Each structure stands twice: as structure tokens, then as C-alpha cells.
Amino acid sequence: MTYEFYNNEEWTAFSTKMQAISRDVQRLQWKQSSLLSKITNLEVAQDLVMRKKWDLETVSKKTTKVLTEVTGDCDECWFGKYDMAEDEIKELRVSKCLEVASIQSEINLLKHDRQVLDKEQDACRDRLIKEHNDATKDQGLATASVN
């Protein structure tokens, strides 16, 4: 007769905790993926701003006049604005990268906790089986001595 240790409350408690950790890891990985997508989107925006900025590096006097009349700012002002926008986007990308790294640290800690629980669950299983075998052996000895 095989002992069904997996029905023991103590052993299943470990499984419950490990499943919760796995759900937390998955949730964090989804958040991480979302941030990575945002980083990619921001890179596209940064590239566009950079191209627009360099379009204004050398412009005609006519373009400068039109820009000044229509927007109130000259080409150099717009070059500066695009340059600052590019820097802001870069800072946002770096910030998102730091969030990704922070989430990865959380994931690593959770995975470590899960490994520890897994080893503890294995030890619990081994102990439960041994206790069952010892009790079965002792019961067999007691039955044999009565006969």
C-alpha cells in the first residue's frame, strides 16, 4: 500500500504557497513585458523627435521667418525644444528600464523563495513517508507479537 503524502495538509500547504508565488511571478512578468513595450514605443518617439530636430539644423531664412510668424519661435528655439524633448524621452526610457530591473529583482527573490519552499516540501514528504513507514512497521510488529 502506497502512502498518499500529497493529501496531507502540511504538504499541500507548501503547494498552496508555491502556487501563490508562481502567480505573483507571472503578474510581475506581465508588468515587465508592458514596461518593455513602453520602452520600445518611447524609442520610436525619441527617434522621430531626433529626426525632426536635425531637420531644423540648417533651414532657410524663409523657413525661419515662417516659423517665427506662425509659432512665435525661430528655428533655433524649435531645435532647442526638440533637443529637450529628446532628453525627456531618454529619461523616461531610463526610468522604465530601472522599473524593469526592480521588477526582475522581485521576481528573483520570489523564485528563490519558491525554491526554498520546494526543498522544504520535499523534506516534509520524506518525513511523512518515513513516519508512515515507521508507524506501519510498528503496527506490523505489534500485530505479530499478539499472534
Side-chain angles (χ1 to χ4, degrees), residues 20-30 107 110-111:
I21 289 173
S22 294
R23 283 190 300 273
D24 288 345
V25 167
Q26 187 176 41
R27 181 185 50 79
L28 288 169
Q29 287 172 331
W30 287 337
I107 289 170
L110 286 169
K111 285 182 174 181

Side-chain angles (χ1 to χ4, degrees), residues 69-119:
E69 288 175 4
V70 173
T71 67
D73 289 327
C74 66
D75 58 309
E76 288 181 23
C77 296
W78 278 104
F79 184 90
K81 287 180 182 185
Y82 284 124
D83 191 51
M84 289 184 334
E86 182 185 359
D87 290 344
E88 290 291 329
I89 293 169
K90 180 183 173 187
E91 287 178 24
L92 277 171
R93 288 178 64 211
V94 169
S95 173
K96 301 282 182 220
C97 288
L98 292 172
E99 283 183 67
V100 168
S102 174
I103 289 171
Q104 188 60 50
S105 293
E106 287 181 62
I107 289 170
N108 291 345
L109 286 173
L110 286 169
K111 285 182 174 181
H112 175 265
D113 290 349
R114 190 182 187 295
Q115 288 174 339
V116 168
L117 284 171
D118 191 40
K119 287 179 182 178

